[in-house]
């Protein structure tokens, strides 16, 4: 056999061997799982927490028939704070003869409250207040009033063993007094809605708050 023939056969064998290696490598790579990194899908931002709605308050101011007393009630859907007083605030105020605070649970449509000074039973609508004030001596006075806005309403200041209250009607007429922890009552100076504090008797630089703007106080 000539040298050329042997060279041709050797070269062919080499080509076949290389082709086999390439085929084996190709099969191996096709069976190997991909190692490319997986791109994370972007996630939608979390929704912000929903704030609980603030309780809304409604204030009513009226009168107790047959007396000089005013009646003020503030409701927020779960509680009612009411104040009844016949004291006339002024520079030399006389002590009220009718004065009572009532703080009771209420759904905002009815008020039924009792304490030693009397009982207050009311029905409330969006715009009106009707009911009965029964005094400690048994007298029953019909209560009529309406919902109020603006400066009209119920004001309160507490401190030093005393609680001051004012009822401001829509015509700027007032009733109010001072209740002492020991059970006494005193007259109170006229309310000035631009005044934020009071210095009077037991109350020393005590803040005046309008009930309904600040939370309803719970004894």
């Amino acid at each position: 056999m000539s040298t050329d023939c042997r060279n041709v056969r050797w070269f062919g064998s080499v080509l076949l061997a290389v082709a086999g290696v390439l085929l084996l490598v190709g099969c191996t790579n096709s069976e190997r799982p991909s190692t490319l990194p997986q791109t994370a899908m972007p996630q939608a931002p979390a929704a912000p927490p929903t704030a609980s709605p603030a309780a809304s308050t409604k204030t009513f101011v009226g009168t107790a028939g047959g007396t000089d007393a005013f009646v003020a009630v503030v409701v927020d859907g779960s509680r009612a704070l009411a104040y009844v007083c016949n004291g006339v605030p002024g520079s030399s105020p006389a002590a009220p003869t009718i004065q009572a605070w009532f703080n009771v649970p209420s759904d905002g449509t009815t008020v039924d409250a009792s304490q030693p000074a009397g009982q207050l039973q009311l029905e409330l609508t969006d715009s009106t207040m009707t009911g009965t004030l029964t005094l400690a001596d048994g007298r029953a006075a019909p209560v009529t009033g309406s919902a109020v806005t603006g400066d009209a309403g119920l004001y309160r200041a507490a401190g030093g063993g005393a609680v001051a209250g004012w009822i401001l009607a829509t015509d700027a007429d007032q009733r109010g007094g001072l209740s002492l922890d020991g059970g006494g009552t005193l007259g109170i100076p006229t309310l000035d809605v631009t005044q934020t504090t009071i210095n009077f008797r037991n109350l020393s630089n005590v803040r005046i708050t309008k009930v309904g703007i600040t939370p309803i106080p719970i004894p």
Side-chain angles (χ1 to χ4, degrees), residues 101 155-159 162-166 177-179 188 196-198 203 206-211:
W101 288 94
Y155 294 78
R156 188 176 188 270
V163 177
W166 295 266
L178 186 68
S179 302
I188 200 76
T196 58
T197 60
I198 182 173
L203 304 175
V206 174
R207 183 185 176 193
I208 299 172
T209 60
K210 184 180 183 186
V211 180

Coordinates of all heavy atoms in Angstrom, one line a residue, residues 101 155-159 162-166 177-179 188 196-198 203 206-211:
W101 N -74.3 66.8 85.6 CA -73.6 66.1 84.4 C -74.1 64.7 84.3 O -74.3 64.0 85.3 CB -72.1 66.2 84.7 CG -71.5 67.5 84.6 CD1 -71.2 68.4 85.6 CD2 -71.0 68.1 83.4 NE1 -70.6 69.5 85.2 CE2 -70.4 69.4 83.8 CE3 -70.9 67.8 82.1 CZ2 -69.8 70.3 82.9 CZ3 -70.3 68.6 81.2 CH2 -69.8 69.9 81.6
Y155 N -69.2 73.5 76.7 CA -67.8 73.7 77.1 C -67.5 73.2 78.5 O -68.4 73.2 79.4 CB -67.5 75.2 77.0 CG -67.5 75.8 75.6 CD1 -68.8 76.1 75.0 CD2 -66.4 76.0 74.8 CE1 -68.8 76.6 73.7 CE2 -66.4 76.5 73.5 CZ -67.7 76.8 73.0 OH -67.8 77.3 71.7
R156 N -66.3 72.8 78.7 CA -65.9 72.2 80.0 C -64.5 72.5 80.4 O -63.6 72.6 79.6 CB -66.1 70.7 79.8 CG -66.0 69.8 81.1 CD -66.3 68.4 80.7 NE -66.4 67.5 81.9 CZ -65.4 66.8 82.4 NH1 -64.2 66.9 81.9 NH2 -65.6 66.1 83.5
A157 N -64.3 72.6 81.7 CA -62.9 72.8 82.3 C -62.9 72.0 83.6 O -63.8 72.2 84.4 CB -62.6 74.3 82.5
A158 N -61.9 71.2 83.8 CA -61.8 70.3 85.0 C -60.4 70.4 85.6 O -59.4 70.3 84.9 CB -62.2 68.9 84.6
G159 N -60.4 70.5 86.9 CA -59.1 70.5 87.6 C -59.3 71.0 89.0 O -60.2 71.7 89.3
A162 N -62.6 70.3 90.8 CA -63.8 71.1 90.4 C -64.0 70.9 88.9 O -63.0 70.6 88.1 CB -63.7 72.6 90.7
V163 N -65.2 71.0 88.4 CA -65.6 70.9 87.0 C -66.5 72.1 86.7 O -67.5 72.3 87.3 CB -66.3 69.6 86.6 CG1 -66.7 69.6 85.2 CG2 -65.4 68.4 86.9
A164 N -66.0 72.9 85.7 CA -66.8 74.0 85.2 C -67.5 73.6 83.9 O -66.9 72.9 83.1 CB -66.0 75.3 85.0
G165 N -68.7 74.1 83.8 CA -69.5 73.8 82.5 C -70.2 75.1 82.0 O -70.6 75.9 82.8
W166 N -70.2 75.2 80.7 CA -71.0 76.3 80.1 C -71.8 75.7 78.9 O -71.3 74.8 78.2 CB -70.1 77.3 79.5 CG -69.2 78.1 80.4 CD1 -69.5 79.3 81.0 CD2 -67.9 77.8 80.9 NE1 -68.4 79.8 81.8 CE2 -67.5 78.8 81.7 CE3 -67.1 76.7 80.7 CZ2 -66.2 78.8 82.3 CZ3 -65.8 76.6 81.3 CH2 -65.4 77.7 82.1
G177 N -72.0 76.8 85.5 CA -71.7 76.7 86.9 C -70.5 75.9 87.2 O -69.9 75.3 86.3
L178 N -70.1 75.9 88.4 CA -68.9 75.1 88.9 C -69.4 74.1 89.9 O -70.0 74.4 90.9 CB -67.9 76.1 89.6 CG -66.6 75.5 90.0 CD1 -65.8 75.2 88.7 CD2 -65.8 76.6 90.8
S179 N -69.0 72.8 89.6 CA -69.3 71.7 90.5 C -68.1 71.3 91.3 O -67.0 71.1 90.7 CB -69.8 70.5 89.7 OG -70.9 70.8 88.9
I188 N -70.2 80.9 87.8 CA -69.0 80.9 87.0 C -69.0 82.1 86.2 O -70.0 82.7 85.8 CB -69.1 79.6 86.1 CG1 -67.7 79.3 85.5 CG2 -70.0 79.7 85.0 CD1 -66.8 78.6 86.6
T196 N -58.8 80.5 76.2 CA -58.4 79.0 76.2 C -58.3 78.5 77.6 O -58.3 77.2 77.8 CB -57.1 78.8 75.4 OG1 -56.1 79.6 76.0 CG2 -57.3 79.2 74.0
T197 N -58.1 79.3 78.6 CA -57.9 78.8 80.0 C -58.8 79.7 80.9 O -59.2 80.8 80.6 CB -56.4 78.9 80.4 OG1 -56.0 80.2 80.4 CG2 -55.6 78.0 79.6
I198 N -58.9 79.2 82.2 CA -59.7 79.9 83.2 C -58.9 79.8 84.5 O -58.3 78.8 84.9 CB -61.1 79.3 83.4 CG1 -61.9 80.0 84.4 CG2 -61.0 77.8 83.7 CD1 -63.3 79.6 84.5
L203 N -60.0 76.4 89.9 CA -59.4 76.2 88.6 C -58.3 77.2 88.4 O -58.5 78.4 88.3 CB -60.5 76.4 87.5 CG -61.7 75.5 87.7 CD1 -62.8 75.9 86.6 CD2 -61.3 74.0 87.5
V206 N -56.6 76.4 84.1 CA -57.1 75.2 83.5 C -57.7 75.4 82.1 O -58.3 76.4 81.8 CB -58.2 74.6 84.4 CG1 -58.9 73.4 83.8 CG2 -57.6 74.2 85.8
R207 N -57.4 74.5 81.2 CA -57.8 74.6 79.9 C -59.3 74.5 79.7 O -59.9 73.6 80.3 CB -57.1 73.5 79.0 CG -57.4 73.6 77.5 CD -56.8 72.5 76.7 NE -57.2 72.5 75.3 CZ -57.0 71.5 74.5 NH1 -56.4 70.4 74.9 NH2 -57.4 71.6 73.2
I208 N -59.9 75.3 78.9 CA -61.3 75.2 78.5 C -61.4 74.5 77.2 O -60.8 74.8 76.2 CB -62.0 76.6 78.4 CG1 -61.9 77.4 79.7 CG2 -63.4 76.5 78.0 CD1 -62.3 78.8 79.6
T209 N -62.2 73.4 77.2 CA -62.4 72.6 76.0 C -63.8 72.6 75.5 O -64.7 72.7 76.3 CB -61.9 71.2 76.2 OG1 -62.7 70.6 77.2 CG2 -60.5 71.1 76.6
K210 N -64.0 72.6 74.2 CA -65.3 72.4 73.7 C -65.6 71.0 73.4 O -64.9 70.3 72.7 CB -65.5 73.2 72.4 CG -66.9 73.1 71.8 CD -67.1 73.9 70.5 CE -68.6 73.8 70.1 NZ -68.8 74.5 68.8
V211 N -66.6 70.4 74.1 CA -66.9 69.0 74.0 C -67.4 68.8 72.5 O -68.3 69.4 72.1 CB -67.9 68.5 75.0 CG1 -68.2 67.1 74.8 CG2 -67.4 68.8 76.4

